[in-house]
C-alpha cells in the first residue's frame, strides 16, 4: 500500500512534468525531469506540501501543485548554484548557469501569477534572498567559515544558508492566511 507521502510525490512529479512540458519547451529543464533527479530530491518535491499540511491547506489544491513547480525549480537552481560557490569546475558550466537563470525566471513567473508585485510576499522574498546571497558571498570570501569556533557566527551562517527554505512557509502564509493564524514555531530565524 502506497503511503500518503508516496502518492503525493507521484502526483507532484507528474504535475511538474506536465506543467513544464506545457509551458516551457526549453531543453534546460530536461535533466530535472528525470526519475533520478526527482528521486534524489524527494524531500524538496514535497516541501511546499509540508507547510500546506501544517496550515490545513489541501496539498492537492491546484495552487499548491502549481507552487510546487516554482518551489522545485527554485530549489534545483540553488542546487546548481552551489557548484559555482563550491568551485566545482566540473559542474560549474555555462549550461548550468543558463539553467539557473531559466529556472529562477520561470519560478518567478509562476509566483507572480499568485502574488501581485505589491504583495507582502515579495518583501519576505527579497529579505530571504538577501540573507542567502549575503551568506554565499561570505562563503566565497572566507574559506574557514564552516570551521569557525565562534558559535554565534556559525549559527548565523547555518541559518542564512537555509533561509530560502522558509519561502515555502511564506508562500502558504501569504496566500492562504493573509497574515493571520501564523504558526510562530515554523519560523526558525
Amino acid at each position: 500500500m502506497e503511503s500518503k507521502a508516496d502518492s503525493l510525490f507521484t502526483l507532484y512529479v507528474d504535475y511538474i512534468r506536465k506543467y513544464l512540458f506545457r509551458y516551457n519547451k526549453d531543453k534546460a529543464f530536461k535533466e530535472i525531469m528525470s526519475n533520478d533527479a526527482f528521486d534524489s530530491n524527494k524531500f524538496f518535491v514535497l516541501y511546499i506540501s509540508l507547510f500546506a499540511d501544517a496550515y490545513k491547506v489541501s496539498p492537492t489544491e491546484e495552487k499548491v501543485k502549481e507552487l510546487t513547480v516554482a518551489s522545485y525549480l527554485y530549489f534545483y537552481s540553488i542546487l546548481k548554484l552551489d557548484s559555482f560557490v563550491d568551485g566545482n569546475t566540473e559542474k560549474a558550466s555555462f549550461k548550468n548557469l543558463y539553467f539557473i537563470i531559466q529556472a529562477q525566471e520561470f519560478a518567478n513567473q509562476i509566483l507572480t501569477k499568485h502574488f501581485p508585485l505589491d504583495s507582502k510576499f515579495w518583501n519576505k522574498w527579497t529579505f530571504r534572498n538577501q540573507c542567502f546571497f549575503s551568506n554565499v558571498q561570505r562563503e566565497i570570501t572566507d574559506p574557514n567559515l564552516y570551521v569557525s569556533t565562534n558559535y554565534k557566527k556559525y549559527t548565523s551562517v547555518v541559518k542564512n544558508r537555509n533561509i530560502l527554505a522558509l519561502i515555502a512557509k511564506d508562500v502558504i502564509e501569504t496566500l492562504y492566511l493573509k497574515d493571520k493564524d501564523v504558526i510562530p514555531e515554523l519560523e526558525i530565524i
Side-chain angles (χ1 to χ4, degrees):
M1 180 182 214
E2 194 174 50
S3 72
K4 180 181 174 184
D6 288 337
S7 63
L8 197 55
F9 175 74
T10 301
L11 173 80
Y12 284 168
V13 167
D14 290 343
Y15 189 87
I16 291 168
R17 283 188 173 132
K18 288 175 185 171
Y19 195 94
L20 292 177
F21 279 126
R22 182 180 331 134
Y23 293 112
N24 191 300
K25 304 299 182 199
D26 199 308
K27 292 180 182 174
F29 295 141
K30 188 176 183 180
E31 173 190 332
I32 67 164
M33 290 190 286
S34 72
N35 287 337
D36 287 344
F38 285 118
D39 289 343
S40 62
N41 298 298
K42 188 173 186 174
F43 177 75
F44 292 101
V45 172
L46 295 169
Y47 201 68
I48 285 259
S49 73
L50 301 174
F51 290 98
D53 189 52
Y55 287 111
K56 311 281 188 270
V57 174
S58 171
T60 59
E61 188 174 308
E62 192 66 22
K63 282 182 194 177
V64 175
K65 291 190 299 187
E66 191 169 34
L67 291 164
T68 295
V69 177
S71 173
Y72 186 67
L73 285 173
Y74 201 74
F75 153 74
Y76 217 90
S77 73
I78 295 300
L79 194 65
K80 294 285 189 187
L81 180 65
D82 271 347
S83 62
F84 287 89
V85 174
D86 296 341
N88 184 339
T89 54
E90 186 179 308
K91 292 184 178 180
S93 66
F94 180 77
K95 178 183 166 189
N96 282 342
L97 182 59
Y98 178 74
F99 171 83
I100 292 166
I101 293 166
Q102 291 298 312
Q104 289 189 4
E105 182 179 291
F106 198 59
N108 282 326
Q109 289 172 6
I110 294 168
L111 290 170
T112 303
K113 178 179 174 183
H114 297 283
F115 302 103
L117 294 178
D118 62 351
S119 169
K120 290 180 181 181
F121 168 77
W122 293 111
N123 293 333
K124 295 174 185 178
W125 170 269
T126 300
F127 170 74
R128 302 221 193 268
N129 273 283
Q130 286 172 340
C131 289
F132 177 78
F133 284 102
S134 168
N135 199 67
V136 167
Q137 183 178 7
R138 286 170 66 190
E139 284 182 48
I140 292 170
T141 58
D142 183 357
N144 297 317
L145 192 61
Y146 288 105
V147 293
S148 173
T149 54
N150 180 319
Y151 180 77
K152 189 174 181 180
K153 180 179 176 183
Y154 181 77
T155 55
S156 169
V157 169
V158 171
K159 285 180 179 180
N160 285 337
R161 186 71 166 132
N162 295 303
I163 198 165
L164 293 181
L166 292 176
I167 292 174
K169 173 186 169 294
D170 299 336
V171 162
I172 298 299
E173 284 180 357
T174 307
L175 198 57
Y176 291 96
L177 301 179
K178 311 293 184 216
D179 294 328
K180 43 187 179 200
D181 301 324
V182 172
I183 301 174
E185 300 84 50
L186 294 180
E187 184 69 52
I188 59 172
I189 295 179

